[in-house]
Amino acid sequence: MFGLTPFGIGSSIISYLLLTNIPFTQNKTAHFVYPLGEKIPAEKNNEKNIEQELKNLHLEIKEEDVINDASYLNKTPIAAIVIIKSEDDIKKVLKYARENNIKVSIAGARHSMGGHAFVEDGIVLDMNEYKEMKMSEDYTLSVQSGALFSDIQHFLDKQGLSVKAMQSVNFCTVGGTLAANAHGIVHDPGCIGTTVKKMRVMLASGDIKEIT
């Protein structure tokens, strides 16, 4: 939940992607693998089994065998990418991963560039569809972690509001921004985390904790 301030976004920074009308999800051809000389392993037979087993749990799967971040320097083979749309989706994946000893990572817009948004042969939680938001009477915004700051801007602008702090670009997700402890573009309030009133966090066990 974010504290808000009553200013519009007319003068705020508009991302290059919006100016050029290029969707941030547009795929690029990228075959470069780092470190140099390493090769992407051949597809394993059990990867398709994992995808099918996840589908049997009524989860939506993105049909990709590799993943990369915005740097296009971290092409990594993965077992499956699950498109998260609800809290229950996350619980299902974590339960399956625990029972099958599979590592899980979480990714949004993938602008945390260092390969830490995914793990080799693991399951990736794609959070981009997990982005509902609502406003309370005391002007506190509740937002799911997959929402982009551009989504938040458009939602708040209709009400003459804006967030107190954000990065200098708006194509990062809320979850990724807080995970990186990103700072805003002004010294006060500083880190975006200082504008968060509370968070609900799901542990690997599937238990949920509220942090204030």
Side-chain angles (χ1 to χ4, degrees), residues 30-58:
H31 298 296
F32 182 78
V33 180
Y34 185 84
L36 294 174
E38 292 194 5
K39 297 185 181 298
I40 295 294
E43 180 183 320
K44 299 178 178 63
N45 291 330
N46 70 336
E47 287 182 0
K48 292 303 179 184
N49 293 335
I50 291 173
E51 288 184 348
Q52 186 56 55
E53 289 172 353
L54 290 168
K55 288 179 181 178
N56 292 342
L57 297 174
H58 306 290

Side-chain angles (χ1 to χ4, degrees), residues 29-182:
T29 301
H31 298 296
F32 182 78
V33 180
Y34 185 84
L36 294 174
E38 292 194 5
K39 297 185 181 298
I40 295 294
E43 180 183 320
K44 299 178 178 63
N45 291 330
N46 70 336
E47 287 182 0
K48 292 303 179 184
N49 293 335
I50 291 173
E51 288 184 348
Q52 186 56 55
E53 289 172 353
L54 290 168
K55 288 179 181 178
N56 292 342
L57 297 174
H58 306 290
L59 294 165
E60 185 175 346
I61 305 300
K62 185 178 291 186
E63 302 290 343
E64 295 180 13
D65 297 317
V66 295
I67 195 169
N68 214 325
D69 57 31
S71 72
Y72 280 80
L73 299 176
N74 294 292
K75 192 173 184 179
T76 303
I78 40 84
I81 301 175
V82 182
I83 300 174
I84 299 299
K85 295 184 178 180
S86 70
E87 196 173 277
D88 191 50
D89 286 349
I90 304 173
K91 288 185 177 182
K92 286 180 181 178
V93 176
L94 293 179
K95 183 176 184 293
Y96 175 85
R98 290 195 307 273
E99 293 173 347
N100 293 274
N101 195 30
I102 302 174
K103 294 180 179 179
V104 177
S105 62
I106 186 168
R110 301 184 221 159
H111 280 275
S112 294
M113 294 170 282
H116 48 284
F118 31 82
V119 61
E120 185 172 323
D121 296 328
I123 298 173
V124 180
L125 305 182
D126 185 329
M127 305 301 292
N128 288 292
E129 295 298 318
Y130 190 68
K131 57 183 180 180
E132 291 184 2
M133 61 187 81
K134 62 182 179 180
M135 179 76 70
S136 68
E137 292 182 357
D138 65 350
Y139 294 102
T140 297
L141 178 68
S142 297
V143 58
Q144 293 178 330
S145 59
L148 299 174
F149 272 89
S150 59
D151 297 326
I152 294 174
Q153 285 180 307
H154 290 304
F155 179 82
L156 294 178
D157 191 43
K158 297 174 184 178
Q159 305 177 59
L161 298 169
S162 71
V163 292
K164 287 184 177 179
M166 62 175 284
Q167 299 182 67
S168 59
V169 294
N170 63 2
F171 47 74
C172 298
T173 63
V174 171
T177 297
L178 295 178
N181 194 29

